[in-house]
Amino acid sequence: MNETLKTLETRRSCRKFIQDKIPEKEMLDAIIRAGTFAPSGMGRQPVKIIAVTNKEIRNKISAENAKIMGQSGTDPFYGAPVILVVISDKTVPTGIYDGSLVMGNLLNAAESLGLGSIWIHRAKEEFESDFGKQILNDLGITGEWEGIGHAAIGYIAEGGVNSPAVRKDNVYWIE
């Protein structure tokens, strides 16, 4: 089987990471690069990736995400040491879709390198808040941005991945 198709078929969300082991910079660079090659409407590329490896900042984002979820005190990122936040330009009509394609590329690239990943939501709410706006300001990112998602990335801990059965009733053919 083609390696790309194999990666797409075997990738599953990881819900338990080795917390203190950050993947090598070269691996993270390769994952991020894959994200930048995602297709976008009219080639506009209205998406930015914020790579968070700083533990203190990562934990603040986790706490904010948990607060939005209504579960303060939990870690919505399952201990993943790296968070790749995807944001998209609100003024671009295809921004949400473009950002979603970037997320898919990030998750699949992580799988291809033997890392675990999971898409965590609530980035929209984070970047509508003063908390998220401060992150953008601190990074010098101006304009109107919408949070698309968080790709939590890291080494898979024991029992971190379940493989649910693929649904067979999701495809309909018109021939």
Side-chain angles (χ1 to χ4, degrees):
M1 175 186 284
N2 170 299
E3 286 301 310
T4 300
L5 294 176
K6 182 178 177 186
T7 297
L8 295 173
E9 288 185 14
T10 58
R11 191 215 153 279
R12 296 290 181 269
S13 293
C14 179
R15 289 182 172 82
K16 188 175 180 185
F17 294 88
I18 299 172
Q19 295 180 19
D20 296 326
K21 188 174 180 187
I22 295 178
E24 292 74 22
K25 177 99 167 55
E26 295 79 25
M27 293 175 83
L28 294 176
D29 287 342
I31 293 166
I32 292 166
R33 181 173 163 82
T36 67
F37 280 92
S40 64
M42 298 179 71
R44 289 185 178 139
Q45 301 181 14
V47 178
K48 294 190 183 299
I49 301 167
I50 302 170
V52 182
T53 58
N54 176 292
K55 190 171 186 173
E56 180 183 338
I57 302 300
R58 177 252 182 250
N59 289 343
K60 286 180 181 179
I61 293 170
S62 174
E64 184 69 15
N65 194 284
K67 185 173 85 175
I68 293 166
M69 186 172 52
Q71 295 186 11
S72 293
T74 64
D75 179 12
F77 303 129
Y78 301 98
V82 176
I83 308 301
L84 303 178
V85 185
V86 174
I87 61 174
S88 186
D89 185 337
K90 282 186 176 183
T91 66
V92 175
T94 59
I96 293 172
Y97 313 112
D98 299 337
S100 295
L101 287 166
V102 169
M103 285 292 297
N105 274 21
L106 295 173
L107 301 175
N108 288 317
E111 174 70 20
S112 76
L113 295 172
L115 297 172
S117 66
I118 187 168
W119 181 329
I120 302 297
H121 292 281
R122 295 170 295 282
K124 177 178 178 13
E125 295 85 351
E126 279 175 21
F127 286 90
E128 289 174 345
S129 74
D130 290 339
F131 172 85
K133 289 177 183 175
Q134 186 62 52
I135 290 173
L136 297 179
N137 187 55
D138 291 348
L139 292 169
I141 299 172
T142 60
E144 293 296 316
W145 296 89
E146 181 166 1
I148 303 302
H150 311 80
I153 308 282
Y155 290 100
I156 302 168
E158 183 76 28
V161 177
N162 293 332
S163 295
V166 175
R167 293 182 55 170
K168 304 283 187 208
D169 61 348
N170 287 348
V171 178
Y172 293 84
W173 287 85
I174 300 175
E175 297 183 278

